[in-house]
Amino acid sequence: MFVLVEMVDTVRIPPWSFQRQLNDAIAEELNKKLANKVVYKVGLCICLYDITKLDDSYIFPGDGASHTKVHFRYVVFHPFLDEILIGKIKYCSQEGVHVTMGFFDDILIPPESLQQPAKFDEAEQVWLWEYETDEGAHDLYMDQGEEIRFRVTDEVFVDTSPTGPATATPDTPGQPGQPGQSTAPPAEDAGEKKEAPYTLIGTICEPGLGLLSWWNN
Amino acid sequence: MEVKNANAAMLSNYEVFKLLTDLKEQRKDSGKNKHSVGQQNLNTIMYETLKYLSKTPCSRQSPEIVKEFLTTMMPHKLTKAEKLQLLNHRPQTAVEMQLLVEESEERLSEEQIEELIQTVADVLPGDPEQENAAPADAEMDEGSEQS
């Protein structure tokens, strides 16, 4: 579930923090920068593991702060392919079952990866497994808050760095920046949903996967 | 910022749990600056991750237990990822074992799977609540069979 990632960065320590131990000040800055943030193609950063090397600190003209190149290792949440994880069902939608692990929310199990045959109950907005036994079909509901065991099949990283103003929006061709068009930039935001920088795609289409209550004796 | 190695090492849930618990202790002593705006992200992720991990078997493990587990697992010829998953999940049934061990039908016989389940149950401490409930059920079953 968690991996250690070796990184290098230059940390800026402002002059009012000079009385602190350098290691503590650097650790705090690194955690401030990376904790609970997704690094593209790496994963969700949790916390600093250790500092492996500190290069010399420099002070540049015009800036009273010291700049130090730091080699460090960070604990990152990055499950490997086919890893089994346990989470809770956040909610169900047409797109599938959304699972959360508390510290990481963007896990989706698409309808084709549910235990088949599966059906979406529109009234209750919940997916269910039409489980056939000799006695007849049981409908096993995937309710909110239930613990669920799933296998990671794919991960999607989206680069959500800000793009410059030069990109023209596809729905307002040739009309960016006009004073009357107050809707041009906000419409772009309102129309697009904010994309999650890191999404996991899972499956429960195997014996043993799905709600824990399905498999407990 | 540069990423030198995106996969330098795999960490068990126990290692992350211990790191976060120690960090929490350290920050408790530090006083007021942990509530500043910049520290909120660290606080959130630490709280949520600790909340998640405290409900997994890793919260009852120690370095000695992990070492003993890995030594006991050596003869079974499992991959590093499989041993890590066994350590993190502590499977109790054959179905769970087959999920965590790849191609278990070909590599392990039924008795070997049973043996693995037994070893896991012996070496890794389980949930005391769950284990107290089980003997009670067994007594109830015996009672009903006798009558």
Side-chain angles (χ1 to χ4, degrees), chain A residues 128-148:
Chain A
L128 49 97
W129 179 23
E130 292 167 320
Y131 182 56
E132 295 271 337
T133 60
D134 303 324
E135 304 150 351
H138 289 277
D139 280 347
L140 296 170
Y141 281 80
M142 302 183 66
D143 294 318
Q144 214 177 43
E146 290 285 345
E147 298 212 314
I148 182 170

Side-chain angles (χ1 to χ4, degrees), chain A residues 190-210:
Chain A
E192 294 172 23
K193 247 172 50 175
K194 249 162 107 173
E195 275 241 60
Y198 179 33
T199 316
L200 286 177
I201 311 289
T203 177
I204 54 167
C205 201
E206 268 174 67
L209 296 179

Side-chain angles (χ1 to χ4, degrees), chain B residues 9-110:
Chain B
M10 285 160 70
L11 291 174
S12 67
N13 287 8
Y14 168 69
E15 290 172 271
V16 179
F17 181 72
K18 175 135 196 319
L19 182 74
L20 289 174
T21 337
D22 291 345
L23 188 60
K24 194 165 109 169
E25 278 306 311
Q26 231 180 32
R27 282 157 67 73
K28 222 188 275 192
D29 307 328
S30 83
K32 61 178 170 82
N33 66 334
K34 62 186 176 194
H35 288 294
S36 70
V37 175
Q39 300 295 318
Q40 269 314 102
N41 271 325
L42 181 62
N43 291 347
T44 312
I45 192 76
M46 272 177 62
Y47 169 72
E48 293 287 352
T49 314
L50 275 173
K51 196 162 93 164
Y52 177 83
L53 290 177
S54 56
K55 288 190 260 166
T56 63
C58 79
S59 54
R60 295 176 285 273
Q61 291 166 2
S62 73
E64 296 79 34
I65 294 180
V66 176
K67 202 158 106 174
E68 196 192 327
F69 178 74
L70 290 174
T71 338
T72 338
M73 284 291 136
M74 275 201 315
H76 294 277
K77 295 206 197 53
L78 297 170
T79 67
K80 191 153 96 167
E82 288 167 353
K83 284 188 274 199
L84 182 64
Q85 290 203 86
L86 289 180
L87 185 61
N88 286 345
H89 285 267
R90 193 180 182 265
Q92 296 172 308
T93 63
V95 179
E96 289 175 65
M97 269 294 171
Q98 281 163 351
L99 278 178
L100 301 173
V101 178
E102 248 176 276
E103 294 175 17
S104 52
E105 305 91 49
E106 290 153 27
R107 286 160 63 190
L108 304 167
S109 67
E110 266 186 44

Side-chain angles (χ1 to χ4, degrees), chain A residues 2 4 6 8 28 84 86, chain B residues 2 4 9 11 52 85 89:
Chain A
F2 299 103
L4 216 51
E6 286 170 11
V8 185
E28 190 180 308
I84 304 287
I86 297 185
Chain B
E2 195 196 326
K4 278 256 169 281
L11 291 174
Y52 177 83
Q85 290 203 86
H89 285 267

Side-chain angles (χ1 to χ4, degrees), chain A residues 63-83:
Chain A
D63 184 5
S66 77
H67 298 254
T68 322
K69 192 157 160 193
V70 187
H71 299 245
F72 59 97
R73 294 189 290 188
Y74 219 86
V75 177
V76 174
F77 171 70
H78 188 194
F80 52 85
L81 191 62
D82 290 341
E83 185 169 354

Side-chain angles (χ1 to χ4, degrees), chain A residues 11-85:
Chain A
V11 176
R12 179 183 181 272
I13 306 292
W16 48 90
S17 302
F18 279 176
Q19 88 281 7
R20 299 182 67 189
Q21 287 292 324
L22 184 60
N23 284 39
D24 296 340
I26 287 184
E28 190 180 308
E29 283 301 312
L30 287 174
N31 277 328
K32 209 191 289 193
K33 178 170 178 180
L34 292 173
N36 205 15
K37 303 242 173 81
V38 171
V39 176
Y40 186 57
K41 295 271 193 239
V42 172
L44 173 69
C45 296
I46 307 286
C47 72
L48 181 70
Y49 185 74
D50 63 4
I51 297 173
T52 43
K53 184 164 149 207
L54 282 176
D55 288 344
D56 293 333
S57 306
Y58 293 94
I59 296 182
F60 297 107
D63 184 5
S66 77
H67 298 254
T68 322
K69 192 157 160 193
V70 187
H71 299 245
F72 59 97
R73 294 189 290 188
Y74 219 86
V75 177
V76 174
F77 171 70
H78 188 194
F80 52 85
L81 191 62
D82 290 341
E83 185 169 354
I84 304 287
L85 296 175

